[in-house]
Amino acid sequence: MRKILNIYKLGIKEIYSLLRDPVLMGLIFFTFTIAIYSVAHGVQTELNNASIAIVDEDRSSLSSRISGAFLPPYFKKPDMIELSEVDPGMDAGRYTFVLDIPPDFEADVLAGRQPQIQISVDATAMTTAGNGTVYISSIVQAEVTKFLGRSSGEVALPVDVQIRSKYNPNLDSSWFLAMMQIINNLTILAIILAGAAVIREREHGTLEHLLVMPVTSGEIMLAKVWANGLVIVLSAVLSLQIVVQGVLDIPIHGSMWLFAFGSAIYLFAVTAMGITLATLATSMPQFGLLSIPVFVVMNLLSGGITPLESMPQALQDIVQLLPSTHYIKFAQAVLYRGAGLEIVWPQLLATAGIGLAFFVFALFRFRAALASAR
């Protein structure tokens, strides 16, 4: 009971210390409010107002139908240009797509000769280029099919494909980006706050005060873990309820309590990682430089931005040792698909096991740092 009381009181001290730090409190507020809103509205992966030009060398009824099919909000009004203007226009960045309809296109279509339309794409805008090419191909195919149906009576397609998008029926990228931004920011803040707590003790000289108190290094570290973890979990839950559900009007399908429980397990590992980095650094700037590559690599390779299946097999095996890999699977299953504990327990168990290993190593490093401070 004495150890539990020590951990509780030291944790309360950590929370008071954090509340009195305007910089860190401002960082927490910005990270879970403005940063979430700006990313959800400012970053778009779907096609929106893409610039397109059309070279109509056929000037037929069919080519006019195709030219008139590119409409907002996916495309801007097409610019009708000559063939000699294609390269200068794309070099200057005025057009993302250029559609070249060849001469005698309509006549070749009616004769069944399968003519080709060239689509030139500015692939520097990678996401827009990939999505836009699919949209353009679909639009051209649809207009040609309608034209042939009008000319020859009816065109029977061999397959009727019905697309059903689950969990995000409008394919709105803000639904994905808002919640993934909370998950990524949760990782960053956990490392920063836990590490900053240790660095702050050292810079303010209060670490020496702790050393003369009847507390162990394990109690000191557990207090920092639960206090900073509690602040981050509460901030993430409030951000989901107020910013995501309230302001952005994005539905959350799963249990908020299950998400908070899984986040607490994950933060047990990540805050321990932050304390480990703080024992390696001697100042706050040094800690910041040391932590940047850690959470950047964790976010990029955890499967939240790019699918794990697209990575080399060796890298897929390595990232299984990161707690963020299992946590992102858990968070996406709960928040996006409404999964229950019976589905996500393997991810929670893996996160807890990796977190325990990180905590043991962090405790070893923290004890060594306290011994050197005596």
Side-chain angles (χ1 to χ4, degrees), residues 8 23 33 36 38 61 66 92 115 128 236 244 323 350-351 371:
Y8 169 75
V23 175
T33 53
I36 306 300
S38 59
S61 174
I66 293 173
T128 302
V244 175
T351 305

Side-chain angles (χ1 to χ4, degrees), residues 34-273:
I34 300 173
I36 306 300
Y37 183 86
S38 59
V39 168
H41 279 277
V43 179
Q44 289 186 332
T45 57
E46 64 265 15
L47 197 66
N48 186 41
N49 284 330
S51 56
I52 184 171
I54 297 177
V55 180
D56 188 356
E57 299 182 82
D58 188 35
R59 301 188 185 280
S60 63
S61 174
L62 178 55
S63 65
S64 298
R65 286 177 61 103
I66 293 173
S67 300
F70 295 96
L71 301 171
Y74 300 120
F75 297 94
K76 296 179 180 178
K77 183 179 179 181
D79 290 342
M80 307 305 294
I81 63 175
E82 299 297 327
L83 189 61
S84 59
E85 300 177 67
V86 174
D87 288 342
M90 296 200 74
D91 290 343
R94 290 194 297 270
Y95 310 121
T96 305
F97 304 97
V98 175
L99 197 70
D100 184 1
I101 304 175
D104 302 322
F105 175 71
E106 181 180 305
D108 289 341
V109 168
L110 292 174
R113 285 192 283 267
Q114 295 184 333
Q116 295 182 348
I117 290 181
Q118 177 177 292
I119 304 174
S120 299
V121 183
D122 180 3
T124 56
M126 194 166 53
T127 302
T128 302
N131 294 338
T133 304
V134 176
Y135 274 72
I136 292 173
S137 300
S138 301
I139 290 172
V140 172
Q141 292 287 354
E143 292 302 320
V144 171
T145 301
K146 291 176 184 177
F147 178 79
L148 289 175
R150 187 190 66 178
S151 301
S152 59
E154 184 178 356
V155 176
L157 297 178
V159 177
D160 183 17
V161 178
Q162 297 291 330
I163 299 174
R164 180 188 178 194
S165 301
K166 296 190 68 176
Y167 315 118
N168 189 355
N170 295 324
L171 302 180
D172 189 347
S173 61
S174 65
W175 287 28
F176 171 81
L177 291 171
M179 284 188 268
M180 282 309 304
Q181 189 67 18
I182 289 179
I183 294 170
N184 292 337
N185 289 350
L186 187 143
T187 301
I188 295 171
L189 273 183
I191 294 176
I192 290 177
L193 292 186
V198 176
I199 298 291
R200 189 170 55 239
E201 299 274 15
R202 185 184 301 149
E203 290 181 343
H204 294 175
T206 53
L207 193 61
E208 288 78 6
H209 296 170
L210 292 176
L211 294 176
V212 299
M213 294 176 63
V215 293
T216 65
S217 56
E219 292 170 2
I220 297 173
M221 184 172 161
L222 279 172
K224 295 183 183 301
V225 168
W226 84 256
N228 290 286
L230 177 64
V231 171
I232 297 171
V233 168
L234 287 176
S235 301
V237 170
L238 288 174
S239 180
L240 284 171
Q241 292 180 330
I242 298 173
V243 179
V244 175
Q245 288 184 309
V247 178
L248 298 174
D249 196 25
I250 298 174
I252 295 176
H253 298 284
S255 167
M256 202 74 72
W257 289 105
L258 181 58
F259 172 74
F261 174 69
S263 298
I265 295 176
Y266 173 63
L267 290 172
F268 176 72
V270 183
T271 51
M273 188 183 300

